[in-house]
Amino acid sequence: MQKVMFKGLAKDEMSLRQVGVVKGSKVMVVGSTLSDVLEVAKKPSAQEVKEAAQEEAVKEAWAAQTAHKKVLDKGKPEDAMPGIKNMKENLPTVPLAGMLNKTGGKVRLTFKLELDQVWLGTKERTQKLPLNSIKNVVSEPITGQEEYHIMALQLG
């Protein structure tokens, strides 16, 4: 697995002459060792799969983590909206309120579909996130109050 760099990454289907390599040109070749390539292609053993599953099962619930517990101990906001299990709704046209950030401050979530953005608004500022920068949305129910969730946006 090697890639040729000459004034940027060269395309695989192009020859060195087409890329513009001439006598005296400096070319960078980036690659992996054979052992690294074989290691990636190797399937994990049954023992490794079991260990990975056990690690996931042992993960501490978000609601039990110190940072989240501090916010949860203050109680739920009076304007918090409960969720309905197995119900899917379209994105709202009005801002969603009743949420708290990791410091316990109130947060408003607004979907601006015409701009392809999500706005996270607090009292101090509004952070505008492009929708394509959101890699994943992760949610975990709060223990004992399953209609309420802790949610995270993974950016990247």
Side-chain angles (χ1 to χ4, degrees):
M1 296 294 218
Q2 294 181 336
K3 295 289 181 182
V4 175
M5 302 280 292
F6 180 74
K7 297 182 181 176
L9 183 63
K11 297 208 181 341
D12 290 339
E13 60 273 357
M14 296 176 74
S15 69
L16 293 176
R17 180 167 285 131
Q18 290 173 323
V19 172
V21 176
V22 294
K23 187 174 183 177
S25 296
K26 292 186 179 185
V27 177
M28 183 189 321
V29 178
V30 181
S32 305
T33 63
L34 181 60
S35 60
D36 288 343
V37 173
L38 293 175
E39 185 68 29
V40 170
K42 185 174 78 172
K43 291 183 179 177
S45 68
Q47 180 66 22
E48 290 171 340
V49 171
K50 273 186 183 177
E51 288 173 4
Q54 285 177 347
E55 284 179 23
E56 282 186 23
V58 173
K59 281 186 182 176
E60 185 180 22
W62 288 353
Q65 293 176 2
T66 308
H68 298 296
K69 191 128 183 78
K70 284 181 185 177
V71 175
L72 291 172
D73 287 343
K74 294 177 185 177
K76 68 179 184 221
E78 61 279 350
D79 55 350
M81 297 170 42
I84 302 170
K85 257 189 182 178
N86 301 322
M87 177 95 165
K88 294 189 180 199
E89 295 184 21
N90 292 332
L91 294 175
T93 56
V94 295
L96 291 174
M99 293 181 277
L100 303 174
N101 61 14
K102 62 184 175 184
T103 60
K106 289 192 172 242
V107 176
R108 186 177 54 257
L109 189 66
T110 309
F111 296 95
K112 296 288 188 177
L113 298 179
E114 63 277 2
L115 300 173
D116 282 337
Q117 293 180 339
V118 174
W119 292 5
L120 294 171
T122 62
K123 193 174 10 176
E124 294 83 28
R125 67 185 189 135
T126 299
Q127 187 175 359
K128 298 176 182 180
L129 301 171
L131 287 175
N132 61 2
S133 72
I134 299 173
K135 181 179 171 186
N136 196 6
V137 178
V138 190
S139 173
E140 188 174 298
I142 297 171
T143 310
Q145 300 178 13
E146 281 71 24
E147 64 274 14
Y148 299 98
H149 280 237
I150 297 173
M151 183 188 80
L153 299 176
Q154 291 181 344
L155 305 176

